[in-house]
Amino acid sequence: MLGKTILQMIQVQKMNKSNQDRGRRSRQRGLAIERKVRDILSRLMGTATERHPSTGYEQADVSTDYGQCPLCGTPDAVALAVEVKSFQRGTPAWLNKAFVQASRGALQMDKTGVVVASFKDKIVRRYYVMFEVIDPEKETGPEGPVCE
């Protein structure tokens, strides 16, 4: 045979089209989530927020002016540069369990619950602090005080 049959070429074209469509839908979904995060932070912090279009340079997806801290509620306490990562699958079991434990501990101790995830990259150990951001217009979150 000299090369691919017509059927093989059509199948390859369909696979490429399918991958392009999936990439386009994924990008659209990501942009919609960035806009949603911008809107939630705007309501939570009571300040101007901005979603930055992708320009090929490294920059935050969303940024805020100084406003109310979403963790502790202190006015004009923090300005954020936010990188949004989204996933189609559910919250990993280990992370969900950690947030449940943090919420229970926070309620018992009358404090704000956060989760710290630690990862080791070769010889460097890194720590990431996470807390759940609740859309004030749509959902209710765990009751309890925030940081002092």
Side-chain angles (χ1 to χ4, degrees):
M1 283 183 119
L2 290 175
K4 296 180 181 178
T5 65
I6 292 176
L7 182 59
Q8 288 172 326
M9 290 178 8
I10 290 172
Q11 288 173 338
V12 167
Q13 288 175 346
K14 284 183 180 178
M15 285 187 348
N16 288 342
K17 177 88 168 112
S18 173
N19 289 343
Q20 289 172 351
D21 288 344
R22 184 175 31 244
R24 186 178 305 112
R25 285 191 305 268
S26 177
R27 177 156 171 72
Q28 289 171 345
R29 185 175 50 250
L31 294 175
I33 291 170
E34 288 175 8
R35 288 189 294 272
K36 180 71 173 172
V37 168
R38 175 201 61 203
D39 295 344
I40 290 170
L41 288 175
S42 178
R43 285 191 293 273
L44 275 175
M45 297 177 68
T47 189
T49 58
E50 182 177 3
R51 192 194 77 75
H52 301 283
S54 180
T55 59
Y57 298 104
E58 289 190 18
Q59 65 180 5
D61 295 328
V62 176
S63 66
T64 70
D65 289 342
Y66 276 90
Q68 179 176 332
C69 175
L71 183 59
C72 69
T74 304
D76 295 324
V78 66
L80 301 176
V82 180
E83 178 65 26
V84 178
K85 297 295 179 196
S86 64
F87 303 93
Q88 283 301 99
R89 56 193 175 274
T91 307
W94 65 268
L95 186 57
N96 195 35
K97 183 178 177 182
F99 274 108
V100 167
Q101 287 176 320
S103 294
R104 287 181 183 158
L107 288 173
Q108 288 174 352
M109 302 172 94
D110 204 28
K111 303 222 180 235
T112 300
V114 298
V115 172
V116 177
S118 174
F119 299 93
K120 188 170 183 182
D121 298 325
K122 297 182 183 173
I123 60 171
V124 177
R125 181 160 293 278
R126 298 175 184 268
Y127 302 89
Y128 302 92
V129 177
M130 296 179 270
F131 61 96
E132 187 173 5
V133 177
I134 305 295
D135 184 349
E137 285 191 355
K138 304 276 182 185
E139 305 173 34
T140 58
E143 298 298 322
V146 290
C147 59
E148 320 271 311

